[in-house]
Amino acid sequence: MGWIGRALDRAIGEIAPAAGRERMAARQAMGLAMNYDAASRGRRTEGWKAPATDGDAAAFGARERLRQLSRDMVRNRPYAARAREVVVSNVVGTGIVPSVVHADAGVQEQVWQVLSDHLLTPALDARGELDLYALQEVVIGTVFTDGEILARRRIRRGKYARELPLGFQVELIECDHLDTTITSWGRNEVIEGVEYSPIGDIEAYHLFTEHPGSARMRGALLRSERVSWRDVLHVRRLDRPGQLRGVPWLAPVMLTMGDLSDYQEAEILKQKMASLLAGIVTYDKDDAAASEVRKLRGLSKLEPGAVVAAPHGAQVSWTTPPRVEGYPDFLRENLGAIAMGIGITRESLTGDLSGVNFSSGRMGRMEMDRNVERWQRLVILQFCQGIERWVQEAWRLQKVLPGEAFGLSHTAPRRALIDPNDEIDAMIKAVEGGVNSRQNVQRTLGLDPERIRRERAEDETKDAAAGLAAPALQAPPGARDKRARQTTPAQTEEKPA
């Protein structure tokens, strides 16, 4: 800025201090933007989108289309379906296992007997089809595809609860049930069917009694009802501060996945064309064509090893089918980008382990395991602990075991061990060295410490009653081999007779 600009700033500052302050702030912002190439506006950044929206407004009005596109990709695109299965099988697997926490082992067993009859049977499902583990699978699968899912508590009383250990059931519903036509409820604001209190937290959900896209609409008009947040579990992944709604996990890779699918279809058509080999017969004289057409039957039925004579005066030229080049490399790079955008490894997405050694496979798996642990915590916090809250409320109301308070712990399924000998040996050393606890190691393996302790005590009691000696615990074979290699010659030297 030259002396004219400085003089103008001083003059404006003397005459209108507020305008001078705004002028200086604008100049500072412009200088800051000019220091970052990405913030500049020009040919290289043309078409870049940078809306100043919050976490929920970024997808406002687009969630419905995103959900529909994501569902279509899972239905019709093999890699989208595979990515969903990878996430579900790694996050839930055989189920996130609940266990009762109580000081008294007898009470713990009684409480677990009641809970297992309710949670681990189809009695928990409002449709009477799924248990807790199957519900977890549907939850994380829908969160992956739709970005969010609602679990509604259905209170059961009277004849509807005569066979239920606890008086409630869980109904899983898609977010299509949210009534987006309601904009307010008293002083509360309603956005896309979600009602917010004056302090900004979720107060209630306005849900259609039927799915808007159901094939068996029982009513002429859709009708919605207000459901308190206490009866709804809203499971979704939150990526930004203040965000309360979710988006499909395929959103960042939808364009890439669509383009890749179109490219595959084009390559398949190209391969079909490449497999076609045609012969074109030409004649030196036009008048010979009509009389010689009947003699082309042998030429039209070429077989391997056949010798066929062309008609007199005919010349046969062969077409050159297109060649397919670079397809594997192009497919590999794009599948890697899709896998990264979702948060899984390319090997788990494609099932292709060629070119992967033990170290690279383990490093990629470790990175994916961190994402899986985050997603497991999401299911535990938003769904499993919500089910626990409903269990506690029903327990107190029904007074199943009066005066007995208990808690629940949730153990995620174990991750697959790439090298069990070395990894288990490292876990044992960490426990012996005080770096880790035995309970924490057991939980990382998907095991319930309370159950292990109880079953080990039962084994010792039964073995003592049968007169059997307690089995000696041995280290893993790999650990024994390593310790044997570390033995010094002085320790292995035989003593003289």
Side-chain angles (χ1 to χ4, degrees):
M1 181 176 63
W3 65 271
I4 299 178
R6 288 192 294 270
L8 183 60
D9 285 343
R10 285 196 298 269
I12 295 176
E14 290 291 338
I15 301 173
R21 184 170 59 250
E22 293 178 359
R23 181 182 175 89
M24 293 179 61
R27 180 175 287 109
Q28 291 177 357
M30 180 62 69
L32 185 63
M34 293 301 293
N35 290 331
Y36 290 92
D37 293 338
S40 62
R41 300 178 184 275
R43 179 182 58 83
R44 296 178 61 188
T45 60
E46 184 179 0
W48 288 15
K49 297 180 180 179
T53 54
D54 64 6
D56 286 328
F60 182 80
R63 285 190 178 86
E64 182 178 359
R65 177 161 176 78
L66 286 175
R67 286 198 305 267
Q68 294 169 355
L69 290 173
S70 180
R71 293 169 183 170
D72 181 74
M73 286 191 169
V74 171
R75 286 192 298 263
N76 298 307
R77 310 292 171 94
Y79 289 112
R82 171 63 179 173
R84 182 181 185 274
E85 292 303 316
V86 169
V87 172
V88 172
S89 60
N90 281 273
V91 174
V92 174
T94 56
I96 299 176
V97 181
S99 58
V100 179
V101 179
H102 196 279
D104 190 338
V107 174
Q108 182 179 2
E109 183 65 25
Q110 291 178 340
V111 173
W112 176 245
Q113 193 63 41
V114 177
L115 295 186
S116 61
D117 291 341
H118 188 71
L119 299 180
L120 305 186
T121 64
L124 179 64
D125 184 15
R127 296 183 178 272
E129 298 176 351
L130 307 177
D131 63 356
L132 177 62
Y133 302 147
L135 290 176
Q136 294 170 359
E137 181 179 345
V138 177
V139 165
I140 188 61
T142 307
V143 170
F144 174 88
T145 305
D146 297 357
E148 52 190 347
I149 188 175
L150 302 176
R152 182 175 179 180
R153 175 173 60 175
R154 294 290 191 175
I155 304 298
R156 304 304 188 196
R157 297 186 180 91
K159 64 178 182 179
Y160 298 104
R162 60 179 179 269
E163 297 180 357
L164 298 179
L166 296 176
F168 77 94
Q169 290 181 315
V170 177
E171 179 187 11
L172 297 182
I173 56 179
E174 295 178 325
C175 286
D176 302 64
H177 282 260
L178 290 170
D179 187 355
T180 58
T181 62
I182 300 177
T183 58
S184 63
W185 187 270
R187 296 179 56 189
N188 294 341
E189 185 179 16
V190 181
I191 302 176
E192 293 185 311
V194 182
E195 179 181 332
Y196 300 92
S197 69
I199 62 174
D201 59 341
I202 296 179
E203 186 78 16
Y205 295 85
H206 295 262
L207 304 176
F208 289 120
T209 56
E210 299 180 16
H211 194 290
S214 175
R216 55 180 189 88
M217 293 290 291
R218 289 169 291 185
L221 297 176
L222 286 175
R223 180 177 58 86
S224 63
E225 57 185 0
R226 183 178 184 269
V227 182
S228 173
W229 68 270
R230 295 182 179 276
D231 293 324
V232 177
L233 303 179
H234 192 178
V235 186
R236 71 282 194 202
R237 189 178 70 183
L238 306 179
D239 301 320
R240 293 179 57 183
Q243 180 181 348
L244 294 175
R245 298 291 305 276
V247 293
W249 293 13
L250 291 177
V253 298
M254 279 185 181
L255 288 178
T256 303
M257 189 169 290
D259 292 340
L260 181 62
S261 180
D262 295 339
Y263 174 76
Q264 286 182 286
E265 293 294 333
E267 288 294 340
I268 292 174
L269 181 60
K270 193 175 181 181
Q271 289 282 10
K272 291 181 179 180
M273 295 173 61
S275 64
L276 298 176
L277 183 63
I280 302 175
V281 180
T282 59
Y283 295 91
D284 293 336
K285 297 180 180 180
D286 295 337
D287 57 351
S291 60
E292 299 292 341
V293 168
R294 293 190 299 271
K295 300 180 181 180
L296 294 177
R297 294 179 180 177
L299 190 64
S300 63
K301 296 181 179 180
L302 286 176
E303 296 178 357
V307 178
V308 180
H312 175 71
Q315 297 180 355
V316 181
S317 60
W318 302 97
T319 60
T320 303
R323 300 179 59 184
V324 178
E325 298 178 351
Y327 177 70
D329 295 336
F330 179 85
L331 188 64
R332 180 184 180 88
E333 292 300 323
N334 279 271
L335 289 176
I338 292 173
M340 286 188 297
I342 297 173
I344 59 179
T345 62
R346 190 192 65 84
E347 292 72 27
S348 63
L349 177 64
T350 62
D352 180 18
L353 299 178
S354 60
V356 178
N357 55 31
F358 174 80
S359 299
S360 61
R362 187 172 186 273
M363 292 177 64
R365 177 68 194 187
M366 289 171 60
E367 188 69 24
M368 175 177 165
D369 285 341
R370 295 189 184 96
N371 292 333
V372 170
E373 291 173 358
R374 292 170 43 233
W375 301 335
Q376 287 173 341
R377 185 163 180 79
L378 179 149
V379 177
I380 292 175
L381 288 176
Q382 298 183 0
F383 183 72
C384 295
Q385 291 187 1
I387 298 293
E388 177 184 354
R389 173 168 59 85
W390 290 345
V391 166
Q392 297 281 7
E393 293 176 0
W395 194 276
R396 289 192 297 267
L397 289 175
Q398 296 180 221
K399 299 180 180 180
V400 182
L401 292 177
E404 296 298 342
F406 63 90
L408 291 179
S409 64
H410 306 276
T411 304
R414 72 177 183 88
R415 62 178 179 86
L417 300 179
I418 300 178
D419 189 351
N421 288 337
D422 290 342
E423 294 188 57
I424 292 179
D425 183 37
M427 295 176 185
I428 294 175
K429 290 181 179 180
V431 173
E432 293 176 350
V435 179
N436 204 348
S437 67
R438 186 174 62 185
Q439 296 183 24
N440 189 44
V441 169
Q442 291 168 347
R443 288 192 179 94
T444 58
L445 294 175
L447 303 173
D448 181 10
E450 295 295 331
R451 181 177 180 179
I452 294 177
R453 187 179 295 109
R454 182 172 63 252
E455 291 180 352
R456 290 185 62 181
E458 293 175 358
D459 291 340
E460 294 178 0
T461 302
K462 293 179 180 179
D463 290 345
L468 300 176
L473 298 178
Q474 297 180 351
R480 292 198 301 270
D481 295 341
K482 289 183 179 180
R483 292 169 184 172
R485 291 195 297 268
Q486 295 173 356
T487 306
T488 61
Q491 293 173 324
T492 58
E493 183 179 358
E494 296 183 0
K495 294 182 179 180

